[in-house]
Amino acid sequence: MNLTWTPQERRFRDEVRAFAEAKLPEDIRGKVLLHQRLERDDYVRWHNILADQGWGAPSWPVEHGGTGWNALERLIFEVECFKAGAPRLLPFGLSMIGPVLMKYGSAEQQARFLPRIPRVEDWWCQGYSEPGSGSDLASLKTRAERDGDGFVVNGQKTWTTLAQYADWMFCLARTDPGARAQRGISMLLLDMRDPGVTVRPIRTLDGGHDVNEVWLENVRVPAANLIGEENQGWTYAKYLLGHERTGIAGLGHCHRELGILKRMAENARSHGRPLLSDGRMRDRISRIEVDIMALEMLLLRVASSNDGAPGPEASVLKIRGSEIQQDLAMLQMEVAGPDAWPYDPDWMSADAAFQGPGPEMAAAAGAGYADMRKTSIYGGTTEVQKGIIARQVLGL
Ligand SMILES: Cc1cc2nc3c(=O)[nH]c(=O)nc-3n(C[C@H](O)[C@H](O)[C@H](O)COP(=O)(O)OP(=O)(O)OC[C@H]3O[C@@H](n4cnc5c(N)ncnc54)[C@H](O)[C@@H]3O)c2cc1C
């Protein structure tokens, strides 16, 4: 792998950097850099700004309306947008159901759903997990029973991220209860506006509402919304998870948070000197920086092999990415010291004469730390990823 950037790649980086600086709305940038919660409109606005530029689907091939960028271009794009303070792109359409539709969806499904994803004309959510079926996903109990030309779905999903905004859910349901666990599952595209769908919020540690319970009661799904073949949903579900896990590596996020950490350590004082001049603090920050560089190399290797379709190596990326994100959040909180808690949005805008890392950054550190605990759980826990690596990569 050649690690030297060509003049063309450097020009591309400068183009993305200038674009993000010029076009990213200030209010969105402010929220992202202070780890404040984004609203539906914030995401939709940024997606549409990118779509206007022709960059609405950075990881998709040109024939489906994507940019056709290679692995390095995608990586440059992600890192530059994140460093500028842009929100993450919503993964549910672009990097979860989108690739599944391209590989396994019918021509009608592709024509109907794919063009609406880049501008978030449809907001998708992921209906995999259920109470009692998280790591052991194949034990899921939601039932889809054949009824005329379609299915009737009953069950409960949980931890469904941002389902409060969703128009559609890609949902795993059991269509053959007699078959071995993985064999009897199908993937259905379910309309969230159906009267049988109820979304209830789950409040998280930082007081926010990102995740939900979703109850499905006699929800009708036409047969045209079945992905691929009935009872083969496990294959499509695993393909989707590979894409999800690669995304959770969060390289752009790591680069941005490293920059914030350095600024915080420059501003914070220890014995009258910037904390950044403390040798031990510099060591710890350098170590994370090296970890991020290694993650970047690994991501490029995975993304440039297998035509970009991630295999079990995505589990390595998922583990390392989530560990680094948590290390960054932990160190930011240490630098902020006692000012990291409590998280108080009013105080964050206070114009106080403050000797620490800055009241905004300090308060954001506590919220960021709480928020980052989830990265080693969602998309499959660290322990479960280690099991996959042991079996499928190391052949143990
Ligand atoms: C913030 C957040 C957002 C999420 N968003 C979504 C979403 O949008 N859609 C969705 O479908 N799901 C979502 N999830 C659910 C997520 O995928 C599950 O939480 C995850 O798979 C773990 O399942 P569980 O919570 O049932 O824990 P469990 O499976 O009960 O695990 C409990 C503990 O046991 C360990 N464990 C379990 N099995 C094994 C094993 N075989 N070997 C070793 N250790 C094991 C786990 O590592 C964990 O520490 C989200 C979760 C979170 C926290």
Side-chain angles (χ1 to χ4, degrees):
M1 190 169 63
N2 182 4
L3 298 179
T4 320
W5 286 17
T6 63
Q8 197 186 350
E9 284 157 358
R10 277 197 289 274
R11 266 198 306 279
F12 177 66
R13 179 199 57 196
D14 294 344
E15 185 190 354
V16 177
R17 190 174 290 175
F19 171 83
E21 283 298 327
K23 295 291 168 92
L24 176 63
E26 272 311 310
D27 60 318
I28 297 181
R29 187 197 313 270
K31 281 187 187 178
V32 168
L33 295 181
L34 289 181
H35 299 163
Q36 290 174 339
R37 194 154 259 101
L38 297 172
E39 305 297 327
R40 179 189 167 110
D41 171 65
D42 298 322
Y43 289 109
V44 174
R45 257 192 300 154
W46 178 236
H47 273 264
N48 276 279
I49 290 167
L50 290 175
D52 289 344
Q53 173 75 5
W55 294 349
S59 55
W60 288 9
V62 175
E63 63 265 32
H64 288 298
T67 57
W69 286 336
N70 64 29
L72 182 59
E73 288 166 329
R74 293 199 298 271
L75 187 122
I76 291 172
F77 175 78
E78 180 189 336
V79 170
E80 291 304 323
C81 288
F82 266 84
K83 276 186 174 170
R88 66 173 185 151
L89 293 181
L90 291 167
F92 314 105
L94 282 177
S95 46
M96 294 189 186
I97 193 63
V100 171
L101 285 168
M102 286 175 215
K103 191 166 166 75
Y104 299 107
S106 65
E108 291 75 26
Q109 288 168 346
Q110 292 180 356
R112 179 178 177 193
F113 292 112
L114 286 175
R116 297 175 62 81
I117 289 177
R119 290 186 184 273
V120 204
E121 290 162 270
D122 293 326
W123 187 300
W124 286 89
C125 69
Q126 180 184 29
Y128 276 28
S129 305
E130 299 179 5
S133 300
S135 304
D136 183 15
L137 187 59
S139 69
L140 61 88
K141 294 185 180 56
T142 292
R143 281 280 283 127
E145 287 171 275
R146 273 281 178 186
D147 183 45
D149 189 25
F151 300 88
V152 175
V153 183
N154 281 285
Q156 186 197 345
K157 296 292 171 181
T158 193
W159 303 117
T160 323
T161 301
L162 300 179
Q164 69 267 36
Y165 300 143
D167 304 298
W168 288 90
M169 170 190 276
F170 46 91
C171 174
L172 293 182
R174 190 161 296 288
T175 31
D176 182 358
R180 193 168 65 83
Q182 285 89 343
R183 292 264 165 87
I185 292 173
S186 298
M187 186 184 277
L188 300 169
L189 309 179
L190 185 150
D191 188 340
M192 293 291 281
R193 287 160 299 221
D194 191 288
V197 179
T198 308
V199 179
R200 296 196 187 127
I202 301 175
R203 293 275 162 202
T204 44
L205 192 59
D206 59 349
H209 171 201
D210 285 340
V211 280
N212 301 275
E213 292 177 340
V214 180
W215 297 80
L216 307 169
E217 288 164 292
N218 296 321
V219 179
R220 298 198 65 82
V221 175
N225 290 4
L226 169 74
I227 294 281
E229 287 176 46
E230 194 170 333
N231 297 323
Q232 296 301 316
W234 192 248
T235 305
Y236 320 138
K238 281 196 302 186
Y239 180 75
L240 184 147
L241 279 171
H243 284 269
E244 179 180 4
R245 286 171 186 156
T246 309
I248 295 173
L251 186 71
H253 174 99
C254 292
H255 276 286
R256 183 186 69 219
E257 295 305 312
L258 178 69
I260 291 178
L261 172 65
K262 286 181 179 173
R263 282 202 298 284
M264 289 172 71
E266 254 166 30
N267 290 338
R269 292 274 174 276
S270 165
H271 303 292
R273 295 173 48 223
L275 198 50
L276 194 59
S277 63
D278 176 89
R280 287 205 293 178
M281 180 54 73
R282 293 175 75 90
D283 270 358
R284 293 177 71 189
I285 294 177
S286 307
R287 202 187 186 99
I288 294 192
E289 193 155 5
V290 171
D291 284 344
I292 294 174
M293 288 166 73
L295 180 71
E296 190 165 318
M297 294 304 113
L298 187 61
L299 190 69
L300 277 174
R301 267 176 45 198
V302 172
S304 51
S305 59
N306 306 331
D307 292 331
E313 323 83 52
S315 297
V316 184
L317 281 170
K318 207 254 155 182
I319 294 178
R320 284 307 290 139
S322 44
E323 283 173 349
I324 296 170
Q325 290 173 62
Q326 291 180 347
D327 288 349
L328 279 162
M330 183 69 208
L331 204 47
Q332 284 182 2
M333 200 163 69
E334 281 186 46
V335 169
D339 300 313
W341 297 98
Y343 171 67
D344 179 353
D346 293 335
W347 182 63
M348 282 168 63
S349 60
D351 185 18
F354 183 75
Q355 290 300 300
E360 301 89 351
M361 285 293 133
Y369 171 81
D371 195 37
M372 283 302 109
R373 305 317 302 158
K374 67 188 178 192
T375 55
S376 46
I377 302 174
Y378 66 33
T381 67
T382 294
E383 293 78 12
V384 167
Q385 302 315 305
K386 286 182 178 169
I388 292 173
I389 293 166
R391 285 189 305 276
Q392 296 182 32
V393 182
L394 303 175
L396 299 176

PDB file of all heavy atoms in Angstrom, residues 126-129 134-135 158-161 211 374 377-381 383-384, ligand 1:
ATOM      1  N   GLN A 126     -33.024   1.069  12.335  1.00  0.00           N
ATOM      2  CA  GLN A 126     -32.595  -0.333  12.310  1.00  0.00           C
ATOM      3  C   GLN A 126     -33.376  -1.161  13.330  1.00  0.00           C
ATOM      4  O   GLN A 126     -33.182  -0.998  14.536  1.00  0.00           O
ATOM      5  CB  GLN A 126     -31.099  -0.399  12.653  1.00  0.00           C
ATOM      6  CG  GLN A 126     -30.520  -1.799  12.673  1.00  0.00           C
ATOM      7  CD  GLN A 126     -29.065  -1.815  13.111  1.00  0.00           C
ATOM      8  OE1 GLN A 126     -28.643  -0.946  13.888  1.00  0.00           O
ATOM      9  NE2 GLN A 126     -28.295  -2.771  12.637  1.00  0.00           N
ATOM     10  N   GLY A 127     -34.213  -2.051  12.850  1.00  0.00           N
ATOM     11  CA  GLY A 127     -35.016  -2.892  13.751  1.00  0.00           C
ATOM     12  C   GLY A 127     -34.427  -4.282  13.881  1.00  0.00           C
ATOM     13  O   GLY A 127     -34.994  -5.257  13.359  1.00  0.00           O
ATOM     14  N   TYR A 128     -33.310  -4.397  14.556  1.00  0.00           N
ATOM     15  CA  TYR A 128     -32.674  -5.693  14.807  1.00  0.00           C
ATOM     16  C   TYR A 128     -32.954  -6.141  16.252  1.00  0.00           C
ATOM     17  O   TYR A 128     -33.607  -7.126  16.501  1.00  0.00           O
ATOM     18  CB  TYR A 128     -31.152  -5.605  14.612  1.00  0.00           C
ATOM     19  CG  TYR A 128     -30.634  -5.745  13.196  1.00  0.00           C
ATOM     20  CD1 TYR A 128     -31.396  -5.388  12.100  1.00  0.00           C
ATOM     21  CD2 TYR A 128     -29.346  -6.217  12.955  1.00  0.00           C
ATOM     22  CE1 TYR A 128     -30.900  -5.504  10.810  1.00  0.00           C
ATOM     23  CE2 TYR A 128     -28.834  -6.340  11.674  1.00  0.00           C
ATOM     24  CZ  TYR A 128     -29.617  -5.978  10.603  1.00  0.00           C
ATOM     25  OH  TYR A 128     -29.105  -6.102   9.343  1.00  0.00           O
ATOM     26  N   SER A 129     -32.389  -5.386  17.241  1.00  0.00           N
ATOM     27  CA  SER A 129     -32.374  -5.837  18.638  1.00  0.00           C
ATOM     28  C   SER A 129     -33.779  -5.915  19.241  1.00  0.00           C
ATOM     29  O   SER A 129     -34.663  -5.112  18.909  1.00  0.00           O
ATOM     30  CB  SER A 129     -31.543  -4.887  19.497  1.00  0.00           C
ATOM     31  OG  SER A 129     -30.268  -4.759  18.952  1.00  0.00           O
ATOM     32  N   GLY A 134     -29.973  -9.417  21.744  1.00  0.00           N
ATOM     33  CA  GLY A 134     -29.021  -8.382  21.323  1.00  0.00           C
ATOM     34  C   GLY A 134     -27.824  -9.073  20.711  1.00  0.00           C
ATOM     35  O   GLY A 134     -27.743  -9.242  19.490  1.00  0.00           O
ATOM     36  N   SER A 135     -26.911  -9.532  21.574  1.00  0.00           N
ATOM     37  CA  SER A 135     -25.758 -10.299  21.069  1.00  0.00           C
ATOM     38  C   SER A 135     -26.248 -11.567  20.376  1.00  0.00           C
ATOM     39  O   SER A 135     -25.780 -11.938  19.309  1.00  0.00           O
ATOM     40  CB  SER A 135     -24.842 -10.684  22.228  1.00  0.00           C
ATOM     41  OG  SER A 135     -24.437  -9.546  22.926  1.00  0.00           O
ATOM     42  N   THR A 158     -35.991  -2.980  20.358  1.00  0.00           N
ATOM     43  CA  THR A 158     -35.513  -2.057  21.386  1.00  0.00           C
ATOM     44  C   THR A 158     -34.170  -1.441  20.998  1.00  0.00           C
ATOM     45  O   THR A 158     -33.516  -1.922  20.079  1.00  0.00           O
ATOM     46  CB  THR A 158     -35.435  -2.761  22.761  1.00  0.00           C
ATOM     47  OG1 THR A 158     -35.257  -1.762  23.778  1.00  0.00           O
ATOM     48  CG2 THR A 158     -34.265  -3.746  22.841  1.00  0.00           C
ATOM     49  N   TRP A 159     -33.823  -0.371  21.690  1.00  0.00           N
ATOM     50  CA  TRP A 159     -32.596   0.412  21.423  1.00  0.00           C
ATOM     51  C   TRP A 159     -32.602   1.012  20.029  1.00  0.00           C
ATOM     52  O   TRP A 159     -31.539   1.290  19.468  1.00  0.00           O
ATOM     53  CB  TRP A 159     -31.323  -0.428  21.596  1.00  0.00           C
ATOM     54  CG  TRP A 159     -31.172  -1.054  22.930  1.00  0.00           C
ATOM     55  CD1 TRP A 159     -31.131  -2.385  23.208  1.00  0.00           C
ATOM     56  CD2 TRP A 159     -31.043  -0.391  24.195  1.00  0.00           C
ATOM     57  NE1 TRP A 159     -30.990  -2.593  24.558  1.00  0.00           N
ATOM     58  CE2 TRP A 159     -30.940  -1.376  25.173  1.00  0.00           C
ATOM     59  CE3 TRP A 159     -31.015   0.955  24.581  1.00  0.00           C
ATOM     60  CZ2 TRP A 159     -30.810  -1.091  26.527  1.00  0.00           C
ATOM     61  CZ3 TRP A 159     -30.892   1.255  25.917  1.00  0.00           C
ATOM     62  CH2 TRP A 159     -30.787   0.240  26.880  1.00  0.00           C
ATOM     63  N   THR A 160     -33.771   1.204  19.442  1.00  0.00           N
ATOM     64  CA  THR A 160     -33.834   1.633  18.044  1.00  0.00           C
ATOM     65  C   THR A 160     -33.449   3.116  17.951  1.00  0.00           C
ATOM     66  O   THR A 160     -34.207   4.001  18.344  1.00  0.00           O
ATOM     67  CB  THR A 160     -35.256   1.401  17.487  1.00  0.00           C
ATOM     68  OG1 THR A 160     -35.766   0.183  18.049  1.00  0.00           O
ATOM     69  CG2 THR A 160     -35.235   1.311  15.991  1.00  0.00           C
ATOM     70  N   THR A 161     -32.261   3.342  17.400  1.00  0.00           N
ATOM     71  CA  THR A 161     -31.695   4.696  17.397  1.00  0.00           C
ATOM     72  C   THR A 161     -32.494   5.621  16.476  1.00  0.00           C
ATOM     73  O   THR A 161     -32.736   5.297  15.309  1.00  0.00           O
ATOM     74  CB  THR A 161     -30.215   4.645  16.939  1.00  0.00           C
ATOM     75  OG1 THR A 161     -29.508   3.799  17.833  1.00  0.00           O
ATOM     76  CG2 THR A 161     -29.593   6.029  16.943  1.00  0.00           C
ATOM     77  N   VAL A 211     -32.454   6.805  21.762  1.00  0.00           N
ATOM     78  CA  VAL A 211     -32.871   5.422  21.528  1.00  0.00           C
ATOM     79  C   VAL A 211     -34.317   5.205  21.985  1.00  0.00           C
ATOM     80  O   VAL A 211     -34.844   5.975  22.799  1.00  0.00           O
ATOM     81  CB  VAL A 211     -31.924   4.420  22.242  1.00  0.00           C
ATOM     82  CG1 VAL A 211     -30.663   4.206  21.452  1.00  0.00           C
ATOM     83  CG2 VAL A 211     -31.593   4.843  23.649  1.00  0.00           C
ATOM     84  N   LYS A 374     -21.405   4.028  24.833  1.00  0.00           N
ATOM     85  CA  LYS A 374     -22.222   3.154  23.988  1.00  0.00           C
ATOM     86  C   LYS A 374     -21.425   2.495  22.864  1.00  0.00           C
ATOM     87  O   LYS A 374     -21.837   1.464  22.323  1.00  0.00           O
ATOM     88  CB  LYS A 374     -23.365   3.960  23.364  1.00  0.00           C
ATOM     89  CG  LYS A 374     -22.891   5.011  22.372  1.00  0.00           C
ATOM     90  CD  LYS A 374     -24.028   5.904  21.927  1.00  0.00           C
ATOM     91  CE  LYS A 374     -23.514   6.979  20.968  1.00  0.00           C
ATOM     92  NZ  LYS A 374     -24.493   8.028  20.735  1.00  0.00           N
ATOM     93  N   ILE A 377     -20.820  -1.108  22.754  1.00  0.00           N
ATOM     94  CA  ILE A 377     -22.014  -1.963  22.860  1.00  0.00           C
ATOM     95  C   ILE A 377     -22.745  -2.051  21.518  1.00  0.00           C
ATOM     96  O   ILE A 377     -23.009  -3.141  21.016  1.00  0.00           O
ATOM     97  CB  ILE A 377     -22.985  -1.419  23.942  1.00  0.00           C
ATOM     98  CG1 ILE A 377     -22.277  -1.334  25.294  1.00  0.00           C
ATOM     99  CG2 ILE A 377     -24.230  -2.288  24.019  1.00  0.00           C
ATOM    100  CD1 ILE A 377     -23.108  -0.669  26.376  1.00  0.00           C
ATOM    101  N   TYR A 378     -23.074  -0.889  20.928  1.00  0.00           N
ATOM    102  CA  TYR A 378     -23.943  -0.979  19.741  1.00  0.00           C
ATOM    103  C   TYR A 378     -23.166  -1.536  18.531  1.00  0.00           C
ATOM    104  O   TYR A 378     -21.947  -1.497  18.493  1.00  0.00           O
ATOM    105  CB  TYR A 378     -24.662   0.329  19.419  1.00  0.00           C
ATOM    106  CG  TYR A 378     -23.841   1.525  18.996  1.00  0.00           C
ATOM    107  CD1 TYR A 378     -22.679   1.415  18.268  1.00  0.00           C
ATOM    108  CD2 TYR A 378     -24.279   2.813  19.311  1.00  0.00           C
ATOM    109  CE1 TYR A 378     -21.965   2.516  17.859  1.00  0.00           C
ATOM    110  CE2 TYR A 378     -23.572   3.931  18.915  1.00  0.00           C
ATOM    111  CZ  TYR A 378     -22.421   3.775  18.178  1.00  0.00           C
ATOM    112  OH  TYR A 378     -21.711   4.860  17.787  1.00  0.00           O
ATOM    113  N   GLY A 379     -23.913  -2.068  17.582  1.00  0.00           N
ATOM    114  CA  GLY A 379     -23.271  -2.714  16.426  1.00  0.00           C
ATOM    115  C   GLY A 379     -22.625  -4.037  16.808  1.00  0.00           C
ATOM    116  O   GLY A 379     -21.862  -4.612  16.033  1.00  0.00           O
ATOM    117  N   GLY A 380     -22.899  -4.530  18.015  1.00  0.00           N
ATOM    118  CA  GLY A 380     -22.270  -5.774  18.508  1.00  0.00           C
ATOM    119  C   GLY A 380     -21.188  -5.426  19.512  1.00  0.00           C
ATOM    120  O   GLY A 380     -20.297  -4.631  19.219  1.00  0.00           O
ATOM    121  N   THR A 381     -21.260  -6.012  20.710  1.00  0.00           N
ATOM    122  CA  THR A 381     -20.340  -5.611  21.787  1.00  0.00           C
ATOM    123  C   THR A 381     -18.908  -6.047  21.482  1.00  0.00           C
ATOM    124  O   THR A 381     -18.663  -6.906  20.629  1.00  0.00           O
ATOM    125  CB  THR A 381     -20.751  -6.262  23.136  1.00  0.00           C
ATOM    126  OG1 THR A 381     -20.544  -7.673  23.036  1.00  0.00           O
ATOM    127  CG2 THR A 381     -22.189  -5.973  23.497  1.00  0.00           C
ATOM    128  N   GLU A 383     -16.958  -7.852  23.289  1.00  0.00           N
ATOM    129  CA  GLU A 383     -16.754  -9.285  23.563  1.00  0.00           C
ATOM    130  C   GLU A 383     -17.223 -10.128  22.375  1.00  0.00           C
ATOM    131  O   GLU A 383     -16.562 -11.095  21.979  1.00  0.00           O
ATOM    132  CB  GLU A 383     -17.512  -9.713  24.827  1.00  0.00           C
ATOM    133  CG  GLU A 383     -16.992  -9.118  26.134  1.00  0.00           C
ATOM    134  CD  GLU A 383     -17.448  -7.671  26.346  1.00  0.00           C
ATOM    135  OE1 GLU A 383     -18.341  -7.196  25.608  1.00  0.00           O
ATOM    136  OE2 GLU A 383     -16.912  -7.005  27.250  1.00  0.00           O
ATOM    137  N   VAL A 384     -18.354  -9.740  21.812  1.00  0.00           N
ATOM    138  CA  VAL A 384     -18.887 -10.507  20.686  1.00  0.00           C
ATOM    139  C   VAL A 384     -17.970 -10.360  19.458  1.00  0.00           C
ATOM    140  O   VAL A 384     -17.726 -11.332  18.720  1.00  0.00           O
ATOM    141  CB  VAL A 384     -20.335 -10.058  20.379  1.00  0.00           C
ATOM    142  CG1 VAL A 384     -20.811 -10.580  19.034  1.00  0.00           C
ATOM    143  CG2 VAL A 384     -21.258 -10.550  21.495  1.00  0.00           C
TER     144      VAL A 384
HETATM  145  C1  LIG B   1     -26.782   3.522  22.175  1.00  0.00           C
HETATM  146  C2  LIG B   1     -27.249   2.267  21.534  1.00  0.00           C
HETATM  147  C3  LIG B   1     -27.860   2.327  20.288  1.00  0.00           C
HETATM  148  C4  LIG B   1     -28.335   1.164  19.684  1.00  0.00           C
HETATM  149  N1  LIG B   1     -29.014   1.271  18.489  1.00  0.00           N
HETATM  150  C5  LIG B   1     -29.571   0.158  17.958  1.00  0.00           C
HETATM  151  C6  LIG B   1     -30.397   0.267  16.785  1.00  0.00           C
HETATM  152  O1  LIG B   1     -30.590   1.356  16.218  1.00  0.00           O
HETATM  153  N2  LIG B   1     -30.978  -0.851  16.328  1.00  0.00           N
HETATM  154  C7  LIG B   1     -30.789  -2.078  16.897  1.00  0.00           C
HETATM  155  O2  LIG B   1     -31.323  -3.042  16.393  1.00  0.00           O
HETATM  156  N3  LIG B   1     -30.034  -2.215  18.024  1.00  0.00           N
HETATM  157  C8  LIG B   1     -29.421  -1.119  18.559  1.00  0.00           C
HETATM  158  N4  LIG B   1     -28.668  -1.225  19.694  1.00  0.00           N
HETATM  159  C9  LIG B   1     -28.592  -2.540  20.371  1.00  0.00           C
HETATM  160  C10 LIG B   1     -27.226  -3.187  20.347  1.00  0.00           C
HETATM  161  O3  LIG B   1     -26.947  -3.766  19.115  1.00  0.00           O
HETATM  162  C11 LIG B   1     -27.211  -4.210  21.488  1.00  0.00           C
HETATM  163  O4  LIG B   1     -27.300  -3.480  22.702  1.00  0.00           O
HETATM  164  C12 LIG B   1     -25.971  -5.056  21.502  1.00  0.00           C
HETATM  165  O5  LIG B   1     -25.952  -5.918  20.411  1.00  0.00           O
HETATM  166  C13 LIG B   1     -25.835  -5.873  22.822  1.00  0.00           C
HETATM  167  O6  LIG B   1     -27.001  -6.584  23.077  1.00  0.00           O
HETATM  168  P1  LIG B   1     -27.714  -6.490  24.516  1.00  0.00           P
HETATM  169  O7  LIG B   1     -27.849  -5.047  24.861  1.00  0.00           O
HETATM  170  O8  LIG B   1     -28.955  -7.312  24.438  1.00  0.00           O
HETATM  171  O9  LIG B   1     -26.664  -7.126  25.535  1.00  0.00           O
HETATM  172  P2  LIG B   1     -26.460  -8.684  25.816  1.00  0.00           P
HETATM  173  O10 LIG B   1     -26.426  -9.414  24.526  1.00  0.00           O
HETATM  174  O11 LIG B   1     -27.444  -9.123  26.840  1.00  0.00           O
HETATM  175  O12 LIG B   1     -25.008  -8.700  26.453  1.00  0.00           O
HETATM  176  C14 LIG B   1     -24.767  -8.452  27.832  1.00  0.00           C
HETATM  177  C15 LIG B   1     -23.289  -8.671  28.102  1.00  0.00           C
HETATM  178  O13 LIG B   1     -22.939 -10.056  27.833  1.00  0.00           O
HETATM  179  C16 LIG B   1     -21.849 -10.114  26.920  1.00  0.00           C
HETATM  180  N5  LIG B   1     -22.037 -11.241  25.986  1.00  0.00           N
HETATM  181  C17 LIG B   1     -23.187 -11.614  25.369  1.00  0.00           C
HETATM  182  N6  LIG B   1     -22.964 -12.678  24.570  1.00  0.00           N
HETATM  183  C18 LIG B   1     -21.646 -12.974  24.649  1.00  0.00           C
HETATM  184  C19 LIG B   1     -20.805 -13.954  24.041  1.00  0.00           C
HETATM  185  N7  LIG B   1     -21.286 -14.830  23.162  1.00  0.00           N
HETATM  186  N8  LIG B   1     -19.485 -13.954  24.361  1.00  0.00           N
HETATM  187  C20 LIG B   1     -18.975 -13.057  25.251  1.00  0.00           C
HETATM  188  N9  LIG B   1     -19.728 -12.102  25.864  1.00  0.00           N
HETATM  189  C21 LIG B   1     -21.045 -12.054  25.561  1.00  0.00           C
HETATM  190  C22 LIG B   1     -21.916  -8.811  26.139  1.00  0.00           C
HETATM  191  O14 LIG B   1     -20.634  -8.457  25.609  1.00  0.00           O
HETATM  192  C23 LIG B   1     -22.383  -7.834  27.216  1.00  0.00           C
HETATM  193  O15 LIG B   1     -21.272  -7.382  27.969  1.00  0.00           O
HETATM  194  C24 LIG B   1     -28.157  -0.095  20.318  1.00  0.00           C
HETATM  195  C25 LIG B   1     -27.516  -0.160  21.562  1.00  0.00           C
HETATM  196  C26 LIG B   1     -27.066   0.999  22.163  1.00  0.00           C
HETATM  197  C27 LIG B   1     -26.394   0.911  23.493  1.00  0.00           C
END
